[in-house]
Amino acid sequence: MSMLKVEDINVYYGSIHAIKGISFEVNEGEIVTLIGANGAGKSTTLNTVAGLLKPHTGSIEFEGSSVLGLPAHKVVNKGIALCPEGRRIFLQLTVQENLEMGAYTRPGSEISASISDVYDRFPRLKERYRQVAGTLSGGEQQMLAMGRALMSKPKLMMLDEPSMGLAPILVEQIFNIITELNKAGTTILLVEQNAQMALSVAHRAYVLETGRIVTTGTGAELLHNDAVRKAYLGG
């Protein structure tokens, strides 16, 4: 069943036509990845779905109802969370305070249980719950950004470049967490520069080039697609 359906969206930054009529969908229970070079439009796509950018034309439906034009906090209320590029955690707040900020749309009575769930999934954060977020390592900050997004209890979690700037061992750890989240019932839309890792965990994938979708297929198909390997996998 289609959870997210994006049809023919066009997005502009001033006179720059960043997204050129793309259409794609994410089915319930899937990991879907968008891959492409820097500037292809991947982050712009996620930000548009999240309500941070408004498309010039097109439609965005989530669970059968339009989320087009909704302010970002209402999109979160619908069950879509964005873990943004560069993590964007609150550097001056503690780990626990960052998590509480992620639950701003939730009833106060549910927050404590959700924090416990995040700490079960990220034991490192539990150990550092009183630590100021700006003093965490890059990997810990990424875990915190993901934990904060989970605090809204999303049905669809969008991850923008979760492995950026991380050591290979941490990249593997973050991708293990992504697959665990998916197995536990969270649908994932993933934007990732590390195409090899992204395609290895994705059920389906779309390749973006200069604001257009040029190739689509299962993760396995694109891992073995000669053009994709040459362009994005160094093969």
Side-chain angles (χ1 to χ4, degrees), residues 82-225:
L82 172 64
C83 185
E85 183 181 1
R87 294 153 203 150
R88 305 281 182 90
I89 56 171
F90 301 103
L91 297 173
Q92 311 302 324
L93 301 183
T94 65
V95 166
Q96 179 116 348
E97 287 166 342
N98 267 274
L99 294 179
E100 288 166 353
M101 293 293 280
Y104 71 97
T105 60
R106 305 271 309 285
S109 58
E110 297 177 5
I111 292 173
S112 177
S114 290
I115 286 178
S116 293
D117 288 346
V118 170
Y119 286 156
D120 286 345
R121 195 167 291 286
F122 300 99
R124 189 90 58 89
L125 297 182
K126 187 174 185 178
E127 291 166 15
R128 289 160 170 69
Y129 78 102
R130 286 184 174 168
Q131 197 167 322
V132 172
T135 65
L136 298 174
S137 71
E140 289 162 353
Q141 289 189 9
Q142 184 59 51
M143 289 175 195
L144 180 55
M146 291 168 74
R148 183 183 60 185
L150 285 170
M151 287 295 295
S152 67
K153 277 275 189 254
K155 297 170 187 173
L156 172 67
M157 188 162 170
M158 302 192 297
L159 295 156
D160 195 352
E161 303 286 8
S163 79
M164 186 184 278
L166 299 183
I169 192 162
L170 285 171
V171 172
E172 203 160 308
Q173 205 175 340
I174 291 298
F175 273 89
N176 286 340
I177 291 165
I178 290 168
T179 53
E180 283 166 21
L181 285 172
N182 179 247
K183 282 175 185 164
T186 306
T187 303
I188 306 279
L189 177 56
L190 171 67
V191 155
E192 180 54 62
Q193 199 70 36
N194 186 333
Q196 180 88 35
M197 288 298 284
L199 292 173
S200 67
V201 301
H203 299 102
R204 291 188 306 108
Y206 296 88
V207 180
L208 267 77
E209 280 181 16
T210 58
R212 289 190 172 89
I213 289 171
V214 293
T215 312
T216 183
T218 67
E221 283 167 355
L222 295 194
L223 264 177
H224 298 103
N225 176 301

Side-chain angles (χ1 to χ4, degrees), residues 68-87:
L68 193 67
L70 286 183
H73 68 281
K74 292 269 177 71
V75 174
V76 173
N77 267 335
K78 291 274 188 185
I80 301 175
L82 172 64
C83 185
E85 183 181 1
R87 294 153 203 150

